Amino acid sequence: MLITQLKSKETIESLAKGKTFIVNCHGCKEVYFAEHEAEELQKELSETNDITQIVTTDYICHPDNLALQLKKHMDKIKDADTVIVFSCGVGIQTVAKYLDDKRVYSGCDTFPLPGFQGVTPLQVDCAQCGECYLNYTGGICPITSCSKSLVNGQCGGAKDGMCEVDKEMECGWERIYRKLEKLNKLDTLKYEPKVRNYWHPDAEQTDAE
Amino acid sequence: MRLTEFFDRGEFVVTAEVGPPKGFHIEHLVEEANEFLKGRVHAVNVTDNQSSVMRLGSLATCKVLKDNGLNTIFQVTCRDRNRIALQSDILSAALLGIDNLLLLTGDHTTLGDHPQAKPVFDLDSVSLTHAVKRMEEGFDIAGNAIDGEFPKFSKGAVVSPCSDSVDAQLAKMEQKVKAGVEYFQTQGVYEPEKFIKFMDKAKQFGVPVQLGIIIPKNVGMVRYMNANVAGVHVPDDMIEELKADKEKTKAGITGVEISARIIKECKDYCQGVHIMALGWESKIPAILDQAGL
Ligand code: SF4
Ligand code: SF4
């Protein structure tokens, strides 16, 4: 079971640059999603920012389903400068991968709760780290795509683009760098040193939901 | 003495690396350091369980070398300790009068002799630097005040100038500088042109860089590095040079010549040299002589 929590209004506002397309995922029962709060926030956002469309769908973590769901909106998506996804980490990564040349951002942080996980095909993975880093990393999860789960850039161990731990695995941070390069967003890597938080009291409190 | 003081004076800073043994007798290490390094280098790096192989601790070895009159650099990796243990060891280093740190993420546990161990990586090279800087300002990384005098170090880090993803390395280098890194030691360089090109971009950060030298011992070693060591590439003509005169290479003369030549070619573009002898500490004086240092 996981829980997704909305990022702060200021954060989301700052992400919604230019024409913004929003995707909500109300897919699986295993994910607690703050539907009402998200709706409110997106309504407010529509007043201040240029939100071109809000699509609410399900199981965007499934690449084929995602392609099908987004098909009829592709014109608006192509036209948009930014896509913001409100879902668990897997959903966001799947969208970022599918819309490879778009700036795809996450509107949520994903925490773990005891119980089953949602329907997660094996293409991408989310470790429910509680502070989703995808907005800094071009939609590629540093926690699950880097063998050391580093959050401040690559370790220097990659050889020919492959991870020092597993020569069959591409270095996650090289992928992140190339992706940001492609999106012309390398500047997003210039953030203050990040320190992971392994203590998530919020997730415990909302257990009662 | 802090390395930054030497850099500030405009000196070409020479450091060499020693690796503690898998045991607690270090008479041999101390003897060699006294004989070959004392008076020739500004400081001696002591590695921290290098290549994820369990050995005697870096901090204890630094202390013994310091008692023997050598200036030391305490290498700290994030592989084996969480943020509590790391900060605690940094305070211990201040107590023992160690002035220099080299802050690293560290190799993964699976590369060493305890592949079953839990890899920690609670912090990484950037956030560890941030933590040390916070401590120097009087707070631990959780924001709690530090009692009494605040520790003060020269904070170093590493960068890989000949990496196949040198642009990503430069981005990380910038992050390290922003976090508080005051000097860099590089991965082993065998391609001066690449290093010079790298320095052309790295100099914008305004932080001194020491050229990394790994003494090439023989053909087997450099072939191994080419296949397995990140950021290291030994060009073919250098391999030929090592092949040409087997006796000369075995005696270490070829390795010394190559190392000195690389230093000479790169000297004008950097602020120092860091020699990784990997057991060949006895060759360091000859390299420095031939390089004119
Ligand atoms: S950074 Fe990765 S692990 Fe953390 S919430 Fe996002 S997708 Fe999940
Ligand atoms: S090589 Fe890349 S993926 Fe592997 S641990 Fe280092 S940064 Fe992470």
Side-chain angles (χ1 to χ4, degrees):
Chain A
M1 184 100 183
L2 12 152
I3 173 168
T4 55
Q5 195 173 61
L6 298 185
K7 285 187 184 284
S8 73
K9 188 163 172 249
E10 298 76 61
T11 306
I12 294 173
E13 252 170 19
S14 69
L15 294 171
K17 289 229 175 68
K19 289 182 199 154
T20 303
F21 187 97
I22 290 179
V23 182
N24 291 301
C25 179
H26 292 181
C28 44
K29 298 278 170 292
E30 290 81 2
V31 179
Y32 167 77
F33 182 71
E35 277 178 45
H36 183 64
E37 291 90 327
E39 202 180 305
E40 288 290 304
L41 191 142
Q42 288 165 13
K43 215 189 271 163
E44 285 171 37
L45 207 62
S46 304
E47 284 159 21
T48 49
N49 298 48
D50 185 6
I51 309 297
T52 54
Q53 183 146 7
I54 299 175
V55 172
T56 299
T57 169
D58 58 9
Y59 297 107
I60 59 170
C61 53
H62 192 292
D64 296 343
N65 181 53
L66 174 73
L68 202 69
Q69 300 288 345
L70 293 187
K71 208 168 155 194
K72 51 182 176 288
H73 306 291
M74 273 330 266
D75 286 346
K76 279 249 166 65
I77 291 175
K78 281 210 183 91
D79 186 45
D81 301 297
T82 307
V83 176
I84 302 184
V85 184
F86 292 77
S87 77
C88 76
V90 178
I92 302 153
Q93 289 182 75
T94 312
V95 176
K97 201 167 179 184
Y98 182 62
L99 304 175
D100 192 33
D101 51 4
K102 277 275 161 238
R103 292 171 188 176
V104 176
Y105 293 123
S106 159
C108 299
D109 291 319
T110 304
F111 297 92
L113 280 183
F116 292 111
Q117 284 216 4
V119 186
T120 52
L122 286 174
Q123 274 210 0
V124 292
D125 201 1
C126 164
Q128 303 134 35
C129 75
E131 186 193 349
C132 195
Y133 295 94
L134 294 176
N135 296 343
Y136 297 99
T137 55
I140 297 170
C141 168
I143 308 299
T144 54
S145 74
C146 165
S147 301
K148 297 174 189 167
S149 298
L150 300 177
V151 293
N152 290 298
Q154 68 167 191
C155 75
K159 181 121 184 146
D160 304 321
M162 296 299 175
C163 173
E164 71 171 30
V165 180
D166 179 355
K167 287 192 178 125
E168 308 281 293
M169 181 186 124
E170 246 184 288
C171 165
W173 273 99
E174 294 240 358
R175 284 173 51 208
I176 291 169
Y177 191 88
R178 300 293 153 225
K179 178 82 187 275
L180 289 171
E181 197 171 45
K182 183 167 170 186
L183 296 177
N184 202 10
K185 286 297 276 179
L186 279 174
D187 269 2
T188 49
L189 285 179
K190 296 184 184 180
Y191 47 73
E192 292 300 307
K194 295 216 169 287
V195 181
R196 279 188 70 185
N197 179 6
Y198 286 91
W199 183 54
H200 298 305
D202 291 357
E204 279 163 38
Q205 277 160 20
T206 14
D207 210 346
E209 291 285 339
Chain B
M1 192 161 162
R2 289 206 283 274
L3 231 51
T4 36
E5 295 180 38
F6 299 116
F7 287 118
D8 288 347
R9 281 193 218 148
E11 289 184 40
F12 193 80
V13 174
V14 180
T15 55
E17 179 173 294
V18 298
K22 206 181 185 82
F24 66 93
H25 281 283
I26 54 168
E27 295 82 357
H28 180 64
L29 186 152
V30 174
E31 234 170 70
E32 289 211 325
N34 275 329
E35 189 177 344
F36 304 120
L37 305 181
K38 199 181 260 176
R40 294 304 307 254
V41 302
H42 290 86
V44 178
N45 281 55
V46 183
T47 54
D48 174 14
N49 295 298
Q50 192 173 17
S51 310
S52 310
V53 172
M54 191 286 292
R55 295 158 198 272
L56 179 69
S58 173
L59 184 53
T61 308
C62 280
K63 166 71 172 150
V64 173
L65 289 176
K66 187 183 157 66
D67 291 345
N68 276 273
L70 286 139
N71 191 24
T72 56
I73 302 172
F74 172 31
Q75 293 198 184
V76 189
T77 73
C78 300
R79 176 191 53 239
D80 310 315
R81 285 159 285 190
N82 71 5
R83 65 192 81 178
I84 299 175
L86 285 166
Q87 293 176 99
S88 172
D89 278 359
I90 303 280
L91 284 180
S92 302
L95 165 70
L96 298 176
I98 309 300
D99 290 325
N100 305 292
L101 303 174
L102 190 81
L103 306 165
L104 307 139
T105 298
D107 293 330
H108 199 271
T109 41
T110 49
L111 305 189
D113 69 345
H114 287 61
Q116 304 88 348
K118 179 175 191 210
V120 179
F121 303 114
D122 179 24
L123 299 183
D124 56 48
S125 53
V126 174
S127 47
L128 176 59
T129 305
H130 170 71
V132 177
K133 196 171 161 209
R134 288 286 287 156
M135 291 168 85
E136 291 176 339
E137 291 161 358
F139 299 94
D140 64 23
I141 199 174
N144 308 299
I146 286 178
D147 296 335
E149 189 188 338
F150 309 151
K152 178 76 194 123
F153 303 94
S154 272
K155 301 178 288 301
V158 294
V159 64
S160 230
C162 304
S163 156
D164 27 55
S165 43
V166 65
D167 40 1
Q169 281 290 311
L170 280 159
K172 178 101 184 206
M173 186 179 184
E174 185 173 1
Q175 286 299 88
K176 289 183 179 182
V177 172
K178 260 186 24 201
V181 165
E182 296 157 296
Y183 69 93
F184 283 90
Q185 297 183 335
T186 79
Q187 173 62 290
V189 169
Y190 293 97
E191 299 158 294
E193 335 71 63
K194 272 199 196 163
F195 179 77
I196 292 165
K197 246 196 223 149
F198 164 84
M199 282 309 298
D200 197 43
K201 293 190 184 137
K203 67 178 181 220
Q204 59 173 310
F205 306 130
V207 173
V209 174
Q210 291 179 274
L211 162 79
I213 294 286
I214 303 173
I215 310 175
K217 294 185 183 174
N218 52 53
V219 177
M221 172 205 185
V222 299
R223 285 227 170 101
Y224 176 83
M225 289 197 295
N226 276 354
N228 298 294
V229 180
V232 175
H233 180 250
V234 186
D236 289 342
D237 52 343
M238 223 172 256
I239 300 181
E240 289 307 317
E241 192 177 341
L242 285 162
K243 257 194 214 160
D245 186 337
K246 286 209 174 63
E247 286 311 307
K248 191 176 156 196
T249 296
K250 211 169 156 199
I253 301 169
T254 320
V256 168
E257 282 175 3
I258 292 176
S259 304
R261 198 170 66 221
I262 299 170
I263 298 174
K264 276 204 242 163
E265 283 179 44
C266 297
K267 205 158 79 174
D268 294 341
Y269 301 90
C270 59
Q271 290 70 42
V273 60
H274 172 62
I275 302 177
M276 294 161 267
L278 305 171
W280 276 20
E281 282 71 26
S282 60
K283 312 281 184 242
I284 292 177
I287 294 174
L288 296 175
D289 288 342
Q290 282 189 31
L293 294 170

